Amino acid sequence: MAVAAHKQYRMPDDPIYLPVQVGKALHEDVNLGFVGDDTGDSISGLNAWYSELTALYWIWKNIDSRYKGLVHYRRHFAARHSKPLFSHDRFDCIIGGDEIRTLLDRADILVPKKRKYYIETIYSHYAHTLPVEQLDETRKILAIDAPEYVPAFDTVMRSRGAHMFNMFIMSQGKMDEYCSFLFPVLHELVQRINPDKYGDAFQARYPGRISEMLLDVWLLTKGYSYIEVPTLSPEPVNWLKKGSSFLLAKFGLKKYSHSF
């Protein structure tokens, strides 16, 4: 389980977790004491565009393991019967290897619980918050290079929820399938829309955001079984600020300019 991190941070104690310093090729003078995403076959130099996906690419290409997964230093899967909000130490609530193995005996893939928008579709939410040309161009790429995924893409765009965050656990074989689908699409996308054209670091990370929706496109097309697992943040989330930004974007007052 790769834990994508760009700064020093506490990590889970369970040995299934492997902290990966992302963007190491861009910050060679920074050593967090984690394995770097710049060794072996890597795309570490694209981290400013791909975010945590450089860690995903690294474990895909360089790690041999029956199961593989990706989480973030500030977002993890929670043990299913834990109560992070009432826990003295939220790290005690992070899912461990034994529970992961039990769940994977019941389904092909573990994903986060869907993020639901209720008053928005996935497409309309993106259009209100970010440049929607990115989604439109993604569909054009699929129509040419992988047309079997277009029906699922359209279904996801009409949905009011999705498995976000680029978090999942699956077998090595299925991760190979997923990454073999995902990275060529993103490669073509950045050829068509140069992330640097937007002029700031937040907007340049759009390929990482597009990939969050492509997970459901892949899942729906393949028909693999999955189990939704709760997520937790070791730090409190400012839901007032998050909700206010959502509503401002919904009514056309202000698009997103930073992560929350």
Side-chain angles (χ1 to χ4, degrees), residues 31-46:
N31 185 359
L32 303 180
F34 307 150
V35 63
D37 67 350
D38 60 337
T39 58
D41 188 348
S42 78
I43 56 170
S44 180
L46 298 178

Side-chain angles (χ1 to χ4, degrees), residues 28-231:
E28 295 181 351
D29 58 328
V30 178
N31 185 359
L32 303 180
F34 307 150
V35 63
D37 67 350
D38 60 337
T39 58
D41 188 348
S42 78
I43 56 170
S44 180
L46 298 178
N47 180 257
W49 297 352
Y50 281 43
S51 296
E52 66 274 357
L53 295 181
T54 60
L56 175 63
Y57 187 95
W58 186 84
I59 62 167
W60 172 36
K61 292 294 188 179
N62 299 287
I63 295 294
D64 182 18
S65 177
R66 182 181 176 188
Y67 293 102
K68 298 181 184 181
L70 177 66
V71 294
H72 308 256
Y73 74 103
R74 288 196 299 184
R75 184 176 283 120
H76 291 271
F77 287 113
R80 300 195 86 198
H81 300 295
S82 64
K83 296 181 178 179
L85 290 178
F86 303 101
S87 175
H88 174 69
D89 186 349
R90 294 186 182 186
F91 275 83
D92 292 338
C93 300
I94 295 173
I95 196 169
D98 291 341
E99 185 174 351
I100 289 172
R101 284 186 284 271
T102 298
L103 292 174
L104 287 171
D105 284 339
R106 296 167 43 199
D108 295 316
I109 300 167
L110 306 186
V111 294
K113 283 192 172 182
K114 279 189 175 181
R115 169 172 278 186
K116 297 181 179 179
Y117 295 102
Y118 300 106
I119 61 173
E120 291 262 57
T121 65
I122 296 299
Y123 185 87
S124 67
H125 174 67
Y126 203 95
H128 288 142
T129 56
L130 296 159
V132 77
E133 64 175 336
Q134 299 157 3
L135 282 179
D136 294 338
E137 208 61 41
T138 300
R139 190 187 188 283
K140 293 176 185 177
I141 292 167
L142 293 176
I144 295 172
D145 296 338
E148 67 273 22
Y149 288 96
V150 171
F153 182 88
D154 291 342
T155 297
V156 171
M157 292 300 102
R158 292 192 299 266
S159 301
R160 296 182 183 272
H163 301 106
M164 307 298 277
F165 311 135
N166 280 327
M167 292 172 58
F168 35 77
I169 308 171
M170 61 183 82
S171 70
Q172 179 164 264
K174 288 182 176 59
M175 182 165 286
D176 182 64
E177 288 182 30
Y178 175 57
C179 291
S180 295
F181 156 70
L182 175 67
F183 284 103
V185 173
L186 296 181
H187 175 76
E188 177 61 24
L189 186 58
V190 300
Q191 303 308 305
R192 298 186 180 202
I193 304 176
N194 187 331
D196 290 335
K197 84 168 195 171
Y198 296 110
D200 68 81
F202 172 76
Q203 297 293 350
R205 293 195 297 271
Y206 86 82
R209 286 187 283 274
I210 292 294
S211 69
E212 294 184 66
M213 288 156 282
L214 289 178
L215 174 63
D216 273 357
V217 172
W218 178 77
L219 281 173
L220 188 58
T221 301
K222 292 294 185 178
Y224 291 130
S225 62
Y226 60 82
I227 292 176
E228 294 183 342
V229 181
T231 61

